[in-house]
Amino acid sequence: MPHSFGLRARTRHMFSRNFREHGAIPLSTYLKNYKVGDIVDIKANAAVQKGMPHKFYHGRTGVIYNVTKSAVGVIVHKKVGNRFMEKRVNIRVEHIKHSKCRQEFLDRVVANAQKKKDAKAAGVPYNLKRIPAQPRDARHVSTKFNVPQTIAPIAYETLL
């Protein structure tokens, strides 16, 4: 029997709800505020078939360009051939959530502002740039009171 190529083909696990997350959708899903320019993650909720994104967009991240009563418009970049096309997808709010991809950056902005304020008050310069992990400092090990020891593996013993 030939397999089908329908809209929801090969989505058995993709659209299934997680363990202990079945049943009614929490009201907090509907009470979240979405604004134009917000970055959102698309994760289809199979309990709601209306306004469901195509399986390609499941797990993608996009930017909101339009907000309506019960849905939002999201811009997602899709690779087609050798280029990226800007796709505009209209999705209900049950199938999206705010992305945490900018959270580290926003936290760093707040921390840098505080460090800059403290450094200015103390009158010392402070570097706000991220620095890659530096090599560890050099150490000198003395063998005067620290005799080198030869370490050998323990012989293999059978328990029979």
Side-chain angles (χ1 to χ4, degrees):
M1 192 168 117
H3 69 284
S4 65
F5 293 94
L7 283 176
R8 292 180 62 162
R10 292 170 286 284
T11 59
R12 176 180 180 179
H13 301 292
M14 183 188 293
F15 287 162
S16 65
R17 305 285 297 278
N18 290 336
F19 178 61
R20 289 168 60 184
E21 289 183 10
H22 299 271
I25 298 169
L27 282 178
S28 60
T29 305
Y30 299 99
L31 296 175
K32 289 178 184 166
N33 291 324
Y34 294 100
K35 295 179 282 195
V36 173
D38 283 355
I39 300 175
V40 292
D41 294 332
I42 300 171
K43 183 182 178 187
N45 186 343
V48 181
Q49 286 83 39
K50 280 184 121 180
M52 197 175 192
H54 187 266
K55 62 189 174 192
F56 171 84
Y57 300 104
H58 182 84
R60 308 279 170 165
T61 301
V63 181
I64 292 179
Y65 75 94
N66 185 29
V67 179
T68 61
K69 181 171 60 73
S70 59
V72 294
V74 182
I75 295 175
V76 183
H77 290 96
K78 180 177 183 180
K79 188 172 186 190
V80 180
N82 61 350
R83 68 198 187 280
F84 281 93
M85 291 184 71
E86 181 186 273
K87 305 290 279 189
R88 292 175 180 251
V89 199
N90 294 311
I91 305 171
R92 281 175 75 111
V93 292
E94 294 94 334
H95 308 295
I96 62 168
K97 63 179 180 181
H98 285 287
S99 181
K100 295 181 181 174
C101 64
R102 273 179 62 87
Q103 194 57 48
E104 183 203 353
F105 169 73
L106 296 174
D107 294 342
R108 204 168 70 245
V109 167
V110 172
N112 280 352
Q114 184 62 38
K115 289 176 184 174
K116 191 174 182 181
K117 184 180 176 185
D118 295 343
K120 194 169 186 180
V124 293
Y126 184 77
N127 183 18
L128 296 176
K129 294 182 180 179
R130 291 176 291 170
I131 302 171
Q134 299 296 310
R136 292 179 296 177
D137 295 333
R139 293 177 182 84
H140 179 72
V141 178
S142 173
T143 58
K144 189 172 185 181
F145 299 109
N146 185 15
V147 180
Q149 299 177 0
T150 304
I151 299 175
I154 299 171
Y156 179 73
E157 297 179 11
T158 58
L159 300 175
L160 297 175

